[in-house]
Amino acid sequence: MIQRIVLVKFSEDTTADQLLEVIERFKALKEHLTGIVELHAGLNISERNKEYQVVLMVRFEDRASLDAYVTDPNHQAVANYIKEVGRVDSIGVDIEI
């Protein structure tokens, strides 16, 4: 299995409602994509590091599922929305578990 973790940093102009919409759109991907074992998304609640406001985590059955996810039109639509509402930076990592 592959675990993907993404931290997303947004501009100061991004509203709380927009952050929640990012989370909801990301969670909806589970209904549209195959190969997803587990999917979580939420606001960063850490008191120590608030620079990255949204945390996205998805576990895939295998590397092929991850590769399909990256190019899937539904995922691309969510990625475009994240850019539209003010993504400043993101960090994505994948680990084999």
Side-chain angles (χ1 to χ4, degrees):
M1 278 192 263
I2 305 291
Q3 177 74 46
R4 178 163 188 76
I5 302 169
V6 179
L7 307 176
V8 188
K9 179 179 184 177
F10 290 90
S11 77
E12 293 179 6
D13 296 330
T14 306
T15 67
D17 286 342
Q18 288 171 321
L19 294 177
L20 293 175
E21 181 65 19
V22 165
I23 291 165
E24 290 308 310
R25 289 184 185 205
F26 184 77
K27 286 180 177 179
L29 288 175
K30 188 168 184 180
E31 305 303 318
H32 301 286
L33 301 172
T34 59
I36 293 178
V37 175
E38 207 173 342
L39 186 145
H40 302 281
L43 295 174
N44 177 6
I45 62 169
S46 174
E47 292 297 321
R48 294 180 300 277
N49 185 345
K50 295 184 180 185
E51 288 185 21
Y52 290 81
Q53 299 95 328
V54 174
V55 179
L56 312 171
M57 298 186 308
V58 60
R59 184 172 293 173
F60 297 96
E61 291 175 355
D62 52 29
R63 183 67 187 204
S65 298
L66 169 62
D67 292 343
Y69 159 85
V70 170
T71 60
D72 183 86
N74 293 298
H75 172 255
Q76 290 300 313
V78 173
N80 287 335
Y81 180 74
I82 289 171
K83 290 175 191 171
E84 287 173 24
V85 298
R87 181 190 68 120
V88 173
D89 190 23
S90 62
I91 298 171
V93 296
D94 303 318
I95 60 170
E96 196 165 6
I97 54 174

